[in-house]
Amino acid sequence: MTPEHTPSSAPAPSTTGPAADENQLITERREKLAAIRESAKASGGVAFPNDFKPANRAAELVAAYGERSNEELETLNLTVSVAGRMLLKRVMGKASFCTLQDGSLGATGGRIQLFVTKDALGEAAYESFKHLDLGDILGAEGLLFKTKTGELSVRVTTLRLLTKSLRPLPDKFHGMSDQEQKYRQRYVDLITDDAARARFTARSKALSSIRQFMVDHGFMEVETPMLHPIPGGANAKPFVTHHNALDQQMFLRIAPELYLKRLIVGGFERVFEINRSFRNEGISVRHNPEFTMMEFYAAYWNHHDLMDYTEQVLRHAARGATGSATLSYGGKTVDLDAPFTRLTVRDSLVAYAGLSAAEAGDVQVLRAKLKSLGEEPPAHWKLPELQFGLFEAVVEEQLWNPTFIIDYPVEVSPLARASDTDPSITERFELFITGREYANGFSELNDAEDQAARFQAQAANKDAGDEEAMYYDADFIRALEIGMPPTGGCGIGIDRLMMLITDSPSIRDVILFPSLRKEG
């Protein structure tokens, strides 16, 4: 709706306050850009040049020369060229200082100081510099030296405006104070908050470390579809879309599991995928509808092999990102170096729910315990389901140190292999740290007839109204009928792992662009 068609009942735009001040600054910057365009046009240039190639990065210069004396630097006579965003500026007569920040990270956060003088640039260029704004992207060349205060700087001989910033940045010393604004405008958050830049750099390092670790252990990285004709691989509510060319309903991937196991059938004995998955469910500090996880599958492994390997993966990721497997989260230590604890669901009730071994195996005691907590267990729940329900209600949040919970009931594990000694439970585990689930794995079900029966049970649950129950996947059953070797598979939640590694309280802190309600 254009301004002249705004309904009369709409509030008039504010003419005072922060918004008005910002609008005035934007107007002034647009006027400067218009003048720059005219000047560039007159001289045959462009307002946004694309021919400056910085030869150096701030963090590398500081690391290499930050401890050198000015006398040493004068002897070296180093000419450098840098480019970045201007964050600070101090104009002092014929000589001024400004600070550039580039994409490097180091002791100074990717920043280096420029010393700009009228004598070196000439009067016209120096006057232009004085009218530059914070946020502008500059290219500079000059000699490296140390100021009297010992700060590594560039004595500028050439300075160019590469990109005009039309919007003012938040105060560099305080950054963005509104947390939701930080999520919405991550590009500004990364400019003004060194911790945010370091957090996402750590995420990148951890992912690279995981990927290399998998390849070094004989796993092949693969890519599987994100659009599925049948959602599968987890109990979750999918996002639904429509494929116009095929004229059929499709679903965004809730997990890559069934496709990865098809590859095991096809003869690739170790595969992994670092994937984006989507679940049309709630949003919280632990949940984002679009998230990253890694799933990996290995022929001839069981759930014990998977647990051993998962420990190694998490330690390697932590070391790759931070240099240590001993982490701090919320002010408490989390030691990934120590062997992870392993408890059955029943044993965890004894350890954390205040039950005796006999009580943990008593249906009536468990049902009463759940009711006392305000939980109403369904009438059809048997012992394994009641144990699992009480585990979720009481135990899960207490598992601070890395703990594998094993022996899950078959009713909540439709894709896992049942135990050979107790068919009511499966060879499944979940890994909990800081009271949160980080991984889920199991010895895979490779009995096609058993899997078909479980799919049918899930389909019946869906018909009865369970939106998260699985569909019957006939092609996956056909793949199992071809024959899948004994296999172990595991999924690791990458976003939650990054929360742990970077000591972040919310999943939104470790996702560059988290899901948010559309701005009004």
Side-chain angles (χ1 to χ4, degrees):
M1 184 176 290
T2 56
E4 55 269 31
H5 291 94
T6 301
S8 58
S9 59
S14 172
T15 57
T16 61
D21 292 342
E22 182 174 1
N23 289 338
Q24 179 60 36
L25 290 174
I26 292 172
T27 298
E28 292 172 0
R29 291 186 179 209
R30 289 189 183 279
E31 291 171 352
K32 290 181 182 181
L33 177 58
I36 291 168
R37 291 188 193 279
E38 286 298 316
S39 176
K41 183 178 179 180
S43 62
V46 293
F48 290 80
N50 192 32
D51 59 347
F52 187 87
K53 309 295 182 186
N56 307 99
R57 290 163 67 82
E60 295 164 2
L61 289 174
V62 172
Y65 302 105
E67 299 302 318
R68 300 288 189 97
S69 67
N70 187 51
E71 290 73 19
E72 290 178 284
L73 292 175
E74 287 182 345
T75 301
L76 292 172
N77 196 35
L78 290 171
T79 298
V80 299
S81 65
V82 292
R85 191 178 301 275
M86 183 169 65
L87 299 182
L88 295 170
K89 185 173 74 166
R90 288 175 291 157
V91 177
M92 301 177 295
K94 297 182 179 180
S96 300
F97 290 95
C98 72
T99 300
L100 288 195
Q101 176 177 281
D102 63 18
S104 61
L105 278 176
T108 61
R111 294 183 289 274
I112 194 165
Q113 182 172 263
L114 305 185
F115 179 56
V116 186
T117 65
K118 181 187 292 187
D119 290 343
L121 288 186
E123 187 167 349
Y126 186 70
E127 189 64 26
S128 294
F129 163 76
K130 289 164 61 176
H131 290 87
L132 295 178
D133 295 301
L134 299 186
D136 289 349
I137 297 175
L138 313 178
E141 296 177 351
L143 290 172
L144 205 60
F145 80 108
K146 281 276 186 76
T147 64
K148 292 180 180 179
T149 59
E151 183 169 355
L152 188 69
S153 305
V154 178
R155 194 185 305 273
V156 176
T157 55
T158 302
L159 186 69
R160 297 179 63 190
L161 173 64
L162 305 179
T163 302
K164 182 65 187 169
S165 173
L166 297 179
R167 288 181 177 270
L169 295 174
D171 188 298
K172 182 66 181 76
F173 295 104
H174 300 97
M176 302 174 77
S177 57
D178 186 302
Q179 191 63 47
E180 183 168 323
Q181 188 181 26
K182 290 166 73 74
Y183 298 146
R184 289 191 184 279
Q185 299 180 30
R186 184 69 81 186
Y187 40 89
V188 179
D189 182 35
L190 293 172
I191 293 169
T192 59
D193 188 349
D194 289 347
R197 285 154 57 88
R199 186 164 61 248
F200 288 105
T201 299
R203 179 181 177 120
S204 178
K205 289 180 178 178
L207 281 170
S208 297
S209 175
I210 290 171
R211 182 172 273 111
Q212 189 60 53
F213 188 80
M214 299 301 293
V215 172
D216 289 345
H217 285 80
F219 284 84
M220 181 173 72
E221 184 171 12
V222 296
E223 297 168 292
T224 62
M226 295 177 72
L227 280 176
H228 290 189
I230 298 174
N235 285 11
K237 185 178 179 181
F239 285 93
V240 183
T241 186
H242 185 82
H243 195 298
N244 290 336
L246 297 177
D247 191 23
Q248 68 181 33
Q249 180 175 257
M250 301 288 280
F251 304 88
L252 291 182
R253 171 171 62 195
I254 59 174
E257 176 170 343
L258 301 186
Y259 284 96
L260 292 172
K261 287 195 281 194
R262 284 172 169 93
L263 298 179
I264 297 290
V265 171
F268 291 146
E269 293 184 347
R270 293 190 182 186
V271 295
F272 79 101
E273 183 173 10
I274 297 176
N275 64 90
R276 301 291 283 180
S277 290
F278 307 83
R279 298 182 185 176
N280 198 0
E281 299 168 348
I283 295 178
S284 74
V285 295
R286 303 183 187 184
H287 301 89
N288 193 67
E290 177 183 1
F291 60 97
T292 302
M293 64 177 173
M294 179 179 76
E295 289 203 9
F296 62 94
Y297 293 81
Y300 313 109
W301 281 18
N302 60 28
H303 63 309
H304 295 297
D305 301 310
L306 291 171
M307 285 188 279
D308 293 340
Y309 189 73
T310 299
E311 285 193 35
Q312 296 177 49
V313 171
L314 266 61
R315 290 188 190 113
H316 193 78
R319 290 177 184 139
T322 70
S324 173
T326 301
L327 306 172
S328 176
Y329 189 80
K332 295 175 63 177
T333 298
V334 178
D335 186 4
L336 299 183
D337 266 325
F340 293 7
T341 301
R342 301 184 187 188
L343 290 173
T344 66
V345 175
R346 179 171 178 167
D347 290 342
S348 76
L349 298 178
V350 175
Y352 292 96
L355 301 182
S356 67
E359 289 172 330
D362 188 310
V363 169
Q364 298 306 319
V365 170
L366 295 173
R367 191 174 293 276
K369 182 73 171 177
L370 281 166
K371 288 183 177 180
S372 73
L373 296 169
E375 304 278 347
E376 187 60 45
H380 68 272
W381 274 16
K382 300 180 180 65
L383 177 63
E385 294 160 303
L386 289 166
Q387 289 174 331
F388 183 64
L390 187 57
F391 165 80
E392 287 192 314
V394 176
V395 177
E396 182 175 327
E397 64 183 13
Q398 299 183 63
L399 301 176
W400 183 267
N401 293 311
T403 303
F404 287 114
I405 299 297
I406 61 177
D407 293 353
Y408 276 70
V410 68
E411 290 83 356
V412 297
S413 309
L415 296 170
R417 175 188 175 90
S419 168
D420 292 339
T421 57
D422 183 354
S424 70
I425 61 174
T426 58
E427 295 184 349
R428 176 187 173 192
F429 67 85
E430 286 186 303
L431 173 62
F432 293 89
I433 312 172
T434 66
R436 299 169 180 172
E437 177 200 344
Y438 283 77
N440 178 29
F442 40 81
S443 302
E444 301 294 339
L445 181 60
N446 62 343
D447 182 333
E449 293 179 346
D450 189 353
Q451 181 66 82
R454 296 201 205 180
F455 274 159
Q456 287 167 348
Q458 288 282 305
N461 291 341
K462 182 169 288 294
D463 292 340
D466 184 352
E467 293 182 318
E468 295 187 357
M470 293 187 186
Y471 289 74
Y472 188 96
D473 191 330
D475 180 69
F476 181 67
I477 297 300
R478 180 168 55 192
L480 290 185
E481 289 172 345
I482 296 293
M484 185 175 79
T487 298
C490 179
I492 298 174
I494 296 298
D495 300 318
R496 288 189 183 176
L497 178 59
M498 295 309 127
M499 290 172 64
L500 175 64
I501 287 175
T502 62
D503 192 10
S504 299
S506 171
I507 197 169
R508 294 182 178 186
D509 295 328
V510 297
I511 297 175
L512 280 167
F513 301 102
S515 300
L516 299 167
R517 191 182 301 278
K518 185 171 64 174
E519 287 186 274

